[in-house]
Amino acid sequence: MIEVILIVDSSSAGSFDVAKLVSIYCYNSSIKCHLVCQTESLEKSRDILKALSSISKVCSLNLATPVTLLGVLRARCSNIRTPSQDHPEGNLAAVINIVGRERVDCRAVDSWDCSYIEYEVEKSHGECMVDIVGWIGLLVKKHDPLIKAVGVIMSIKRIRKLSAKEFLPLVPVVPELHVIFIPIRVDAEPKSALKNLDALLIKYSDFLVGSVDWTASLQFSDQLQKILEYNEQNSHVPYIDGLPTIHPVLDRKAMYQLLDTISKDARNKSALPVRAAGWDLIESTGTHSGKRLIPCIVKTRIACGVSESHHMGLILKGDGLQECDVPMPWVLQEYINHRGMLWKVYVAHDSVMFEQRNSLPNIVTTESDSSVPSCIEFDSLKSLPTRLPWLEGTQDTPGKSVSSILTESFFKRLGNIVRSHVKLSVFGFDVVFDYEAGEAVIIDLNYLPSFGNIDNAAPDFIKAFV
């Protein structure tokens, strides 16, 4: 459908870096990408080619001096068969001049049978990538009126991560589905950013600001707020999974209330007993002892989007709550001995996928055991305390397998039950197995997960937004 030609300046590391990011994004979108490097002297070609070799996702590499550049570009463009009445299956040619320190005038390309832009590297390289691939996506939509364009507003890190899994293609890649995803910088000018979009997919938690204090309403960055206000007043692009639907995955109180409802429904419909983890809300010091849940895990009420939301405390004794430095308000989650194994379940479209992960170990402790700390704090994104020193040599190993119980059919059934309550397009939830009670326990819920080590999830991810 489209082929991209990137012009880079050999004297500019920024130009090279942006070209590399764009070429990788194109590769993950099944778009052919060609690189033309302009240099003052072809005698330095050995060093330049060595640098070009680091950009491994391009179909071809060419060197050109300022004098020969247009000729090289014309030859490259002539090899791209553009759509015509005789050959409607041809590819669009998009030429992007990533301007570095030395600007070479390539505007003559505008008169050829292709699209051309100049882009100066004035922002972070990730922001430049988003601008360029966004332009490519809009070019694709412009030439095919059947295509539905989903604008994607997320952190650049998340956009790159999802693109690497082929979740955000710039061209239609699923048969019969004319949908593409166009990344948008959150600080883009709203009028132009929202133009020609058919839907908006926003990872709201990437733009939360402020503290973990839930007494105030959710606050988003000024840039996102500006886009939301403009859209509501002018563009009216429909949201995929709007803020009211996403609220339970942002607020752990709402999340656990929802999980209580889900588990009651699942208990009546699943062959295996299912429940939600017990929980309690502590708004401030002294409002509740929380002792009935010890051992427990202390979490902030806000579930994601701010760094403190992943700061947790494993409370092993009653006085651990007084020692815990996790910012309030808290949600206390019952600690369930589950032999260090957790199942992450991903739901997209009509598919349910799952994988097994290592988790926290079983806990055996008493209030009088001086070798046991009262509280262990950790960052859930970085390092789980999977080994507890005072239990070395006595901790439970995974023991007998539960693979005959936690089967694919069980997770598919449970995933469909959760979906009927959550109403999100793509989401994930975590399950552990309480060996003592013989129950599966749902302990967490999240929106737009990365799908971990699941292979070939892209088609189902894309279908979820049609």
Side-chain angles (χ1 to χ4, degrees):
M1 175 171 286
I2 188 169
E3 291 191 39
V4 172
I5 301 173
L6 301 175
I7 307 171
V8 297
D9 177 1
S10 66
S11 65
S12 169
S15 181
F16 268 106
D17 289 344
V18 172
K20 184 174 183 177
L21 294 176
V22 173
S23 68
I24 291 172
Y25 203 106
C26 288
Y27 177 84
N28 293 328
S29 294
S30 301
I31 293 175
K32 289 183 178 181
C33 189
H34 309 274
L35 198 65
V36 176
C37 178
Q38 55 167 315
T39 174
E40 289 293 335
S41 172
L42 292 180
E43 294 177 2
K44 299 179 180 179
S45 60
R46 181 179 300 176
D47 292 337
I48 294 170
L49 284 173
K50 185 177 180 180
L52 290 173
S53 66
S54 67
I55 306 177
S56 57
K57 302 300 184 182
V58 293
C59 296
S60 66
L61 301 171
N62 293 98
L63 294 174
T65 65
V67 175
T68 63
L69 180 59
L70 285 178
V72 171
L73 289 174
R74 183 180 289 278
R76 174 51 56 195
C77 288
S78 67
N79 290 329
I80 300 174
R81 176 180 286 181
T82 55
S84 65
Q85 189 171 2
D86 296 330
H87 301 285
E89 73 284 356
N91 288 333
L92 303 171
V95 181
I96 303 160
N97 187 2
I98 305 176
V99 178
R101 288 195 290 268
E102 301 295 330
R103 178 188 296 272
V104 176
D105 190 352
C106 297
R107 286 173 295 178
V109 176
D110 259 339
S111 63
W112 303 350
D113 192 8
C114 66
S115 296
Y116 173 77
I117 61 165
E118 286 188 355
Y119 190 89
E120 294 194 39
V121 181
E122 296 179 333
K123 309 177 184 71
S124 75
H125 299 165
E127 290 175 318
C128 294
M129 176 205 71
V130 169
D131 286 344
I132 292 171
V133 298
W135 177 79
I136 294 170
L138 289 173
L139 186 63
V140 172
K141 177 173 172 60
K142 177 181 177 182
H143 285 80
D144 187 345
L146 295 178
I147 284 177
K148 302 298 182 184
V150 178
V152 177
I153 302 179
M154 304 174 183
S155 69
I156 292 173
K157 180 180 179 180
R158 192 178 307 278
I159 287 173
R160 290 181 61 184
K161 190 171 185 178
L162 293 181
S163 169
K165 290 179 173 288
E166 303 178 1
F167 284 0
L168 303 176
L170 295 169
V171 296
V173 294
V174 179
E176 309 303 324
L177 295 183
H178 296 275
V179 61
I180 64 174
F181 296 82
I182 298 177
I184 298 169
R185 288 204 337 266
V186 70
D187 61 345
E189 197 280 315
K191 183 176 181 180
S192 59
L194 300 178
K195 189 177 181 181
N196 298 317
L197 296 180
D198 299 289
L200 268 177
L201 175 61
I202 302 174
K203 182 71 171 177
Y204 290 92
S205 59
D206 284 349
F207 307 106
L208 280 171
V209 296
S211 70
V212 297
D213 183 1
W214 202 274
T215 56
S217 60
L218 286 175
Q219 298 293 319
F220 299 104
S221 69
D222 291 342
Q223 297 99 324
L224 180 61
Q225 202 61 49
K226 184 178 179 181
I227 287 179
L228 297 177
E229 290 173 359
Y230 184 88
N231 189 46
E232 290 165 9
Q233 297 170 9
N234 300 278
S235 301
H236 308 296
V237 179
Y239 297 105
I240 295 174
D241 301 327
L243 193 53
T245 309
I246 292 174
H247 181 260
V249 300
L250 300 177
D251 176 5
R252 284 195 172 104
K253 177 185 177 182
M255 178 192 300
Y256 285 116
Q257 288 173 333
L258 179 59
L259 291 180
D260 284 341
T261 301
I262 291 170
S263 63
K264 290 175 183 176
D265 188 16
R267 203 168 185 89
N268 297 325
K269 296 178 180 178
S270 173
L272 178 68
V274 176
R275 69 178 174 90
W279 64 281
D280 196 6
L281 177 67
I282 297 184
E283 297 281 5
S284 59
T285 304
T287 57
H288 196 294
S289 69
K291 287 186 177 180
R292 67 184 178 85
L293 286 178
I294 292 173
C296 66
I297 299 177
V298 174
K299 303 180 179 182
T300 58
R301 181 171 174 179
I302 191 166
C304 54
V306 295
S307 59
E308 295 95 333
S309 63
H310 302 290
H311 181 187
M312 300 183 183
L314 175 57
I315 306 301
L316 301 169
K317 297 180 182 180
D319 58 355
L321 289 174
Q322 284 70 49
E323 296 180 13
C324 185
D325 288 328
V326 173
M328 283 190 167
W330 292 342
V331 172
L332 305 188
Q333 179 191 295
E334 165 198 11
Y335 191 88
I336 300 154
N337 280 337
H338 54 284
R339 298 187 181 176
M341 287 296 167
L342 172 146
W343 284 262
K344 299 196 77 70
V345 187
Y346 310 103
V347 182
H349 186 50
D350 57 0
S351 293
V352 179
M353 297 152 273
F354 65 95
E355 64 177 341
Q356 189 172 316
R357 297 262 189 99
N358 290 331
S359 181
L360 300 172
N362 280 7
I363 292 175
V364 180
T365 183
T366 63
E367 290 281 340
S368 60
D369 189 344
S370 60
S371 68
V372 179
S374 298
C375 173
I376 300 174
E377 296 185 28
F378 61 96
D379 186 319
S380 63
L381 288 183
K382 296 178 181 178
S383 58
L384 295 177
T386 56
R387 301 299 302 176
L388 303 178
W390 67 90
L391 293 177
E392 287 294 340
T394 65
Q395 284 181 265
D396 268 345
T397 57
K400 79 169 187 178
S401 171
V402 292
S403 59
S404 61
I405 302 173
L406 301 181
T407 62
E408 182 177 357
S409 61
F410 166 75
F411 283 119
K412 286 187 179 295
R413 179 65 173 159
L414 182 59
N416 288 328
I417 294 170
V418 176
R419 175 174 27 216
S420 69
H421 291 270
V422 173
K423 308 295 185 184
L424 293 170
S425 301
V426 175
F427 63 93
F429 60 97
D430 296 348
V431 173
V432 298
F433 189 73
D434 184 339
Y435 286 80
E436 183 176 341
E439 297 174 321
V441 187
I442 308 174
I443 61 171
D444 200 9
L445 182 67
N446 53 82
Y447 179 56
L448 282 180
S450 64
F451 284 74
N453 297 314
I454 301 294
D455 295 325
N456 304 317
D460 291 301
F461 182 94
I462 294 166
K463 290 175 186 176
F465 301 108
V466 177

